[in-house]
Amino acid sequence: MSHRIITISREFGSGGRTIGRETAVKLGLPCYDAELIEKLEEATGLSREYIAERGEYASYGSWLSSAFSDRDCSGHSVQDDLWCVQRQVILELAGNGPCVIVGRCADYILRGKAECLNIFIYSDMAKRAKRIVEQYGVRDNSPEKRLRDRDKRRAAYYHFYTGVKWGVVQNYHAALNSGALGMATCAEMIARLYDKKFCES
C-alpha cells in the first residue's frame, strides 16, 4: 500500500471533524468519518450509537475499569471485536486510494502501511466549551467537565489499543490550534502541507 493518506486526530470539541471534511473538499479526496461508522455498522451489526461511542472511547470510570469492563472470562470484549474490524476497514479504505480519515487510531493503524500526513487538532478549553454547547446543546455536566471526560476516555482507548500516548506532538507531522487559527485556515494549511509533502517531493 503506497497511497497518501491524511489522518486527523483531535481533542473533543476542537473541530477536527469539520477541518477534515474541509481539507478533503480542497484536495478532492474522500473523507471518512461518519462514513466509516456506516461501514462498521454494516460489517459488525452493532448499532451506530455503540460504534460512535466505543470505537474511540474507553468505558466510563477509572483507567483500570476502562481497560477491563465488559470482558468475558477470557479477557475478551465486544469492543475488542470492534477494534479488529475497525482496523481492517481503515486498512481497506487506505488501500483504495488517497483519502482523509478522522480519528479511530488511523494514524497508528497505518504506520508503515501507507504514506501518511498525521495531523493533531487542539484548542483552548474555553473555545472548545463554547463550541460543544453550540453543537450539542446544554447538558447536566458543565462543558468543561464533558471535555475533560471525553479527552481522558479517548486517551485511554488510544493507549489501550496502541500502547502509545495519545496527543503527544512528536507523533504527528503538525499540531494546529483551531481556536487560534480558525478551522478554515487549518484546512488550508493541511491542504498545503499535503501538496508540499507529496506533490512537490
Side-chain angles (χ1 to χ4, degrees):
M1 182 190 301
S2 60
H3 293 306
R4 294 158 176 179
I5 313 298
I6 297 173
T7 71
I8 306 285
S9 303
R10 74 280 189 227
E11 291 182 330
F12 185 64
S14 65
R17 175 180 288 111
T18 300
I19 291 167
R21 289 183 186 138
E22 290 185 12
T23 301
V25 169
K26 288 179 180 296
L27 293 169
L29 301 178
C31 179
Y32 298 111
D33 176 35
E35 299 83 357
L36 181 53
I37 293 176
E38 290 173 8
K39 289 181 180 296
L40 290 168
E41 186 179 22
E42 293 172 6
T44 64
L46 296 170
S47 72
R48 181 182 297 262
E49 292 75 19
Y50 184 93
I51 293 167
E53 181 67 20
R54 301 298 290 276
E56 282 195 288
Y57 298 100
S59 306
Y60 284 99
S62 67
W63 159 244
L64 189 61
S65 64
S66 295
F68 293 103
S69 63
D70 301 327
R71 296 180 181 277
D72 60 24
C73 58
S74 67
H76 190 79
S77 74
V78 174
Q79 191 166 17
D80 294 337
D81 293 332
L82 176 57
W83 161 258
C84 291
V85 176
Q86 184 166 275
R87 178 180 180 279
Q88 187 57 41
V89 169
I90 287 171
L91 289 170
E92 289 173 0
L93 291 173
N96 290 338
C99 61
V100 177
I101 302 177
V102 179
R104 301 185 181 277
C105 306
D107 58 311
Y108 179 85
I109 290 168
L110 295 176
R111 281 186 182 184
K113 297 180 174 63
E115 293 183 76
C116 290
L117 175 64
N118 298 321
I119 305 295
F120 189 79
I121 304 295
Y122 68 100
S123 184
D124 64 80
M125 181 67 76
K127 288 182 179 174
R128 289 197 292 146
K130 181 175 183 292
R131 188 168 190 276
I132 67 167
V133 169
E134 292 172 349
Q135 291 284 109
Y136 308 117
V138 177
R139 306 279 180 86
D140 291 339
N141 293 330
S142 71
E144 293 80 8
K145 185 179 186 304
R146 287 161 59 195
L147 289 168
R148 285 191 293 269
D149 173 70
R150 285 280 178 165
D151 285 344
K152 181 179 179 181
R153 291 173 56 220
R154 184 173 281 171
Y157 177 92
Y158 188 94
H159 185 269
F160 184 74
Y161 284 106
T162 70
V164 177
K165 189 173 182 180
W166 173 80
V168 175
V169 293
Q170 287 84 355
N171 295 332
Y172 307 93
H173 294 102
L176 303 177
N177 185 332
S178 59
L181 297 170
M183 287 185 282
T185 298
C186 287
E188 179 64 33
M189 292 175 70
I190 296 168
R192 289 185 181 182
L193 286 170
Y194 184 87
D195 286 338
K196 188 74 174 176
K197 179 175 176 61
F198 296 129
C199 302
E200 298 180 14
S201 57

